[in-house]
Amino acid sequence: MAMRADAKTYKKMYDRIPQVIQDKVVLEIATGPGLLAKNVAHAAKKMIATDYSEGMIKQALKSDNPPNLTFKITDATNLQYEDNSFDVVLIANALHIIPNPEKALQEIDRVLRPDGTLIAPTFVNHQEGFGSKLWSGILKIAGVRFEHQWSPNEFADFLVRNGWQITHNEVLHSRISMDYIECVRAK
């Protein structure tokens, strides 16, 4: 239901991400029930979608999935993968709920190949307008804790301060706006 209400926003991501991950080895962190992975994996050479929650991974495994897509239970701040293993790391709508997102970015940096891309769409402007405040409140009641509430500029600055160079940045408007960012390691 939540995804249907913001279908245009997610369609933009579903259209863009396959172009970025085409024929690449991809790690998705915080996949939840796997909706994003299932919609973009067709373009990847190989995709591993992970989540901290065993329940979310069980949910993701309930449907037929592309043959190049696997699901694993993994902690974003302690990734169980070799250094330089992935061409692209995707972490959508999760950095703002992780208590120590800097640690997650360090792990992403470690597993990402030197010329790799980080795709990090993140909810921003949680308190902008009545709809955003209402939806943030509903998510809080449902147990989603927003550890960080960034504006688009604050989120971009956070990534830059943590060693990333932004290559694409677009605010996608939905019930809670999302800052869609692609970046590489800063040189």
Side-chain angles (χ1 to χ4, degrees):
M1 180 178 116
M3 293 286 285
R4 280 188 228 124
D6 296 321
K8 287 181 183 176
T9 296
Y10 285 90
K11 182 175 181 335
K12 285 183 180 182
M13 288 196 315
Y14 294 162
D15 290 344
R16 179 160 180 95
I17 291 172
Q19 297 171 39
V20 179
I21 68 170
Q22 186 69 46
D23 298 321
K24 296 188 175 159
V25 179
V26 180
L27 173 67
E28 183 188 15
I29 298 169
T31 193
L35 295 175
L36 183 57
K38 292 174 187 187
N39 277 279
V40 303
H42 67 275
K45 179 178 182 179
K46 175 183 175 183
M47 185 167 189
I48 300 172
T50 67
D51 201 279
Y52 184 76
S53 166
E54 181 180 352
M56 285 294 170
I57 295 300
K58 284 181 180 178
Q59 186 68 30
L61 291 169
K62 285 185 178 180
S63 61
D64 288 333
N65 295 308
N68 66 332
L69 174 61
T70 57
F71 290 96
K72 305 268 184 190
I73 300 167
T74 303
D75 179 351
T77 62
N78 187 24
L79 297 172
Q80 302 301 310
Y81 300 101
E82 299 283 329
D83 294 359
N84 305 314
S85 296
F86 298 94
D87 300 306
V88 178
V89 175
L90 170 60
I91 182 167
N93 296 326
L95 286 171
H96 65 283
I97 63 172
I98 298 173
N100 186 354
E102 295 86 356
K103 177 67 174 149
L105 288 176
Q106 289 169 0
E107 281 293 279
I108 290 167
D109 182 52
R110 183 183 65 74
V111 301
L112 193 62
R113 292 187 177 127
D115 59 345
T117 300
L118 167 62
I119 303 173
T122 300
F123 287 131
V124 293
N125 293 341
H126 299 263
Q127 301 301 314
E128 181 181 87
F130 176 75
S132 182
K133 288 178 187 177
L134 177 65
W135 188 238
S136 290
I138 290 168
L139 290 174
K140 186 175 182 179
I141 290 168
V144 177
R145 293 181 51 201
F146 293 102
E147 298 286 340
H148 309 278
Q149 295 192 18
W150 294 299
S151 71
N153 286 339
E154 289 167 339
F155 181 55
D157 289 345
F158 167 76
L159 290 171
V160 168
R161 279 192 320 273
N162 281 278
W164 299 93
Q165 177 183 336
I166 296 170
T167 58
H168 180 85
N169 187 353
E170 178 180 2
V171 175
L172 305 175
H173 298 285
S174 55
R175 286 178 291 179
I176 301 174
S177 293
M178 187 183 318
D179 195 1
Y180 176 90
I181 292 183
E182 295 169 8
C183 47
V184 295
R185 287 181 181 90
K187 299 192 184 288

